Amino acid sequence: MQTSQKHHTAAAGLHMLYPQPHCSPQFQMIDNNNGSSKESFFTLESSTASGTTLPSYDSPSVSITSGRSPFSPQGSHSCISDPQPSPENVYASPASSYVYDEAGVKSKIRELEDSLLSVDPKAEEYSGFRKSWNWDELLALTPQLDLKEVLMEAARAVADGDYATACGFIDVLEQMVSVSGTPVQRLGAYMAEGLRARLEGSGGNIYRALKCNEPTGRELMSYMGVLYEICPYWKFAYTAANAAILEATAGDSRIHVIDFQIAQGSQYMFLIHELAKRPGGPPLLRVTGVDDSQSRYARGGGLGLVGEKLSKMAESCGVPFEFHDAIMSGCEVHREHLAVEAGYAVVVNFPFVLHHMPDESVSVENHRDRLLHLIKSLGPRLVTLVEQESNTNTSPFLSRFAETLDYYTAMFESIDAGRPRDDKQRISAEQHCVARDIVNMIACEERERVERHEVFGKWRVRMMMAGFVGWPVSRSAAFAASEMLKGYDKNYKLGGSEGALYLFWKRRPMATFSAWKPNPNQIV
């Protein structure tokens, strides 16, 4: 074969077009400028039936399937039929209209699982289209290559067990990525590291090193603060949850909040301030913080530090306050650890943490569902759930890699909007607070893979099977989140669908907030 023909074959292989991910829920978009709801709806799926086509967000997604993707109608849309959102009923059908059908729900969750795990035959068509590569020529062509496609080819080689080809592509990637480059170059650096760790069987070691061996606790805390400042993801979780808690417990004289990822306790500074304003005096507030002992390093101490800080704040505001700690993983929590007493309105908060609980695909204990059933047994007034809108839990490796590439491309773009690319603090924040999750999703399997995200449709089914019914997110919560977003880039948007509040970067759903209450008509 002539050299020119080799160049053509390599370039053609790397520039094959991958179908675009799509999803089906309809969202009502909320204007960040005034908090009002727009009358128009959109779907992330290009629908020929409606005659409309929605352009994808600026960074093209990569998918390995042509008919389905992590954002297919079966994967992202609810399994339980609900009325479509409308200007009169944005967030869901009333709880009173819900009739629980256990057999139907189990059938639907199986359908959802099948659709999320299915592989289109065309995925096989792309596999192995090139049996050998001229690495010198590819290295010479790196300025012309599409980084996302090279990443996908490397991942495909890993999935196929073609280690020589995978290592060759990783060498090419090393010439294309940079931790101080464009969003996809920075992401590519960490994904390539994840691929190499997977090949070497060192994913778990690298993940633990990234998570534990930080320079100092104070430096790690500063990196976490950088991300908190430049990205609204955690503030979205805190703001929406606080609004829901205040609304659900209005008039209660004793409130008990159980937080399964209390971190620094920042969320409850605002809650204490708001409770202090209640007519007739503030209620007694009890907070139980559940935490993983590994978080102690970043905090520079145990949960006692959080309790002391919140106690001082409550005292200054005149709010009666109690703090209890449960220094353990959520997998280890049982009722006796939560200090639950009669006479309190119990609220449980799961902010970006429930996806760390192993489910039935990892362990027969199925701590994800066990924990939900435990919380249901407490008879809580409200349960709030915030999770990344991503499907990496039970997806096969190649699908998971494509999903990670799509999701974190959007995240790195959003980070890019907050700080300059050469900002050293931002680089360190990505390395120490984001890269470890990416490496874990790519390099680890079974119990070592702790980053196991699910889309809202799957969470919705889990919550319903555990005995909960959706508590539609109120306009006050949506308004509070919208007001919070005014301090961030205009490409962050809010949308509502199926009772949940979605946070978008451009057209990509990044996180969902939902609220739940026990279903009185269901015994589990």
Side-chain angles (χ1 to χ4, degrees), residues 236-248 266-272 274 349 384 513:
F236 167 73
Y238 294 164
T239 301
N242 276 333
I245 291 170
L246 289 168
E247 186 171 350
S266 303
Q267 171 179 346
Y268 301 106
M269 307 285 275
F270 173 84
L271 186 67
I272 289 170
E274 291 302 305
N349 189 28
T384 56
F513 168 83

Side-chain angles (χ1 to χ4, degrees), residues 207 234 261 331 350-359 362 368 371 385-390 392-393 408 437 440-441 449-455 459 462:
Y207 179 76
W234 278 99
Q261 185 62 49
C331 295
F350 289 111
F352 296 115
V353 67
L354 203 52
H355 70 271
H356 285 149
M357 302 299 108
D359 70 349
V362 182
R368 189 170 298 194
L371 199 56
L385 174 67
V386 184
E387 284 292 345
Q388 293 177 221
E389 183 65 4
S390 181
T392 63
N393 182 23
Y408 281 92
D437 296 346
N440 183 255
M441 283 182 281
R449 181 159 64 86
V450 297
E451 301 298 330
R452 293 178 169 271
H453 307 105
E454 294 183 317
V455 293
W459 287 117
R462 284 193 187 278

